[in-house]
Amino acid sequence: MPEAPDLVVIWEFLLPRLVGDVISGATERKPLVLRNMAGLASGGGLDFGTDIAGRRVESLERQGKLLIVGLSGGRELIISPMLTGELMWCNASDRVAPSTVLIFEMKSGMHLRYFDQKRMGQVYYLSADQRGEIIRLENQGPDVIDEPLSLDEFKLGLKPFRGEVKGVLTRGRLVSGIGNAYADEILYEAQIYPFKKVTRLTADELVSLHQAVYTVPAAAVGVLRERVGDKIHRKVRDFLKVHGKKNDSCPRCGNTITAITANRRETNYCRRCQPGSLPDK
């Protein structure tokens, strides 16, 4: 899943290339991902490919784990890659990957391609006044890369939640942009058991969590800027300390990193640095 650090770098790469260019054509190669909300609003008679052709890209925004492409004539594309979606900026002559779902042909001769092996993401095509209908966009908290919440604001934002701390981080209501990978990294940095209930966090743990929520993603952006380049579809995660490092040695204490699969996602943590058990839930 592209998370805020990934999407910051993708946004920085695409901004000077995409904005000002014109979409000369668009092809939906596979169903399920595209949500033609503009077409639904017109009674279903508006064809996506016909309607988007000729529209200029006027803006590109990032909010949490979403990219928002502003188009001329009051249209928008909102891209939510979810677990398996990726974007590629490439020459029109480049081979089309089998998992490619959407191709946007640009007047410049380039392609913006969205591919998604399991088609779990969503690409919404809508009018700007329909934004409020995108629940995932409307329910987001402050962006994790933006100006940090104060510690008091952070604690206040946690008060409505009663669940496990990792789930609260990935839900996006407290802060947006954190997914499975960076939640693991944040909790490792803060030395907090991922399945601990937020109501059981100590005062010191709250301070550590608040700090890690902002320092870990910000540091990752610096690494990704150096390593991603024009391969914005490439997910660079090998520099992370615990996520995806099952059975490796903990870089802090040398203990073996644990992997637990629950709710269809793997959680990686160090049992020694992040002690906890079921009663802590």
Side-chain angles (χ1 to χ4, degrees), residues 241-261:
K241 294 178 180 178
V242 291
H243 182 78
K245 302 296 177 66
K246 176 183 177 181
N247 295 328
D248 284 4
S249 296
C250 168
R252 182 187 288 125
C253 74
N255 193 44
T256 301
I257 293 169
T258 294
I260 293 179
T261 300

Side-chain angles (χ1 to χ4, degrees), residues 28 31-40 48 102 119-126 134:
E28 181 186 11
L32 302 180
V33 170
L34 178 67
R35 310 308 207 251
N36 185 1
M37 293 171 59
L40 290 174
F48 164 69
L102 289 162
R119 284 180 274 175
M120 297 176 70
Q122 293 96 36
V123 176
Y124 301 94
Y125 183 59
L126 66 161
I134 310 299

Side-chain angles (χ1 to χ4, degrees), residues 12 62 108 110 143 263:
E12 289 176 344
R62 182 196 61 82
S108 62
M110 301 298 289
D143 193 279
N263 301 322

Side-chain angles (χ1 to χ4, degrees), residues 4-5 144-146 182 186 212-225:
V144 72
I145 302 295
D146 291 345
Y182 285 97
I186 287 165
V213 158
Y214 294 105
T215 58
V216 169
V221 170
V223 175
L224 295 173
R225 280 179 177 141

Side-chain angles (χ1 to χ4, degrees), residues 199-228:
T199 52
R200 296 178 64 89
L201 294 173
T202 68
D204 286 344
E205 285 175 329
L206 286 169
V207 171
S208 296
L209 179 63
H210 173 255
Q211 183 176 19
V213 158
Y214 294 105
T215 58
V216 169
V221 170
V223 175
L224 295 173
R225 280 179 177 141
E226 293 180 1
R227 295 189 49 190
V228 170

Side-chain angles (χ1 to χ4, degrees), residues 33-105:
V33 170
L34 178 67
R35 310 308 207 251
N36 185 1
M37 293 171 59
L40 290 174
S42 68
L46 187 149
D47 178 72
F48 164 69
T50 302
D51 190 72
I52 201 170
R55 295 189 186 271
R56 182 179 299 277
V57 178
E58 296 186 336
S59 63
L60 182 65
E61 304 172 51
R62 182 196 61 82
Q63 292 190 30
K65 292 178 280 186
L66 306 175
L67 285 178
I68 303 171
V69 184
L71 304 173
S72 58
R75 293 280 195 250
E76 291 184 338
L77 284 165
I78 297 182
I79 302 170
S80 176
M82 297 295 286
L83 290 176
T84 56
E86 302 288 349
L87 288 166
M88 175 184 284
W89 180 257
C90 61
N91 293 309
S93 58
D94 287 2
R95 184 183 70 85
V96 178
S99 58
T100 302
V101 174
L102 289 162
I103 298 176
F104 298 96
E105 303 160 22

